[in-house]
Amino acid sequence: MKTIFASALVAATALTGAAYAATPAQLTEIQKYAPNADVTSVSDREAALAVSIIRSGDSENDKRQGVQNLLR
């Protein structure tokens, strides 16, 4: 679980302003991990953090939990 937050922190510090824009494919991927989330209202920063969590080396359960917690 610590890895999720560390990954999210690294992504947050690496991104500034509009340096990131989520693609439709990434939003679809995010939706798989947080099926009840409204991905149309996800900010670019939240999308970047979610993608970072999804691509981390954590377990699928930890990824799912991390993305869902982020998008609450």
Side-chain angles (χ1 to χ4, degrees):
M1 190 58 122
K2 291 179 183 179
T3 307
I4 289 174
F5 295 115
S7 298
L9 181 60
V10 169
T13 56
L15 299 173
T16 58
Y20 181 88
T23 66
Q26 289 170 329
L27 293 176
T28 299
E29 189 174 16
I30 292 167
Q31 188 76 56
K32 290 178 185 176
Y33 285 86
N36 296 326
D38 179 12
V39 295
T40 61
S41 66
V42 172
S43 71
D44 289 340
R45 181 178 178 277
E46 290 171 327
L49 291 172
V51 169
S52 176
I53 292 169
I54 292 167
R55 294 186 180 157
S56 73
D58 292 333
S59 71
E60 290 299 308
N61 188 46
D62 285 346
K63 291 177 189 182
R64 186 171 294 106
Q65 184 179 12
V67 172
Q68 290 175 358
N69 287 340
L70 175 68
L71 301 180
R72 282 189 187 164

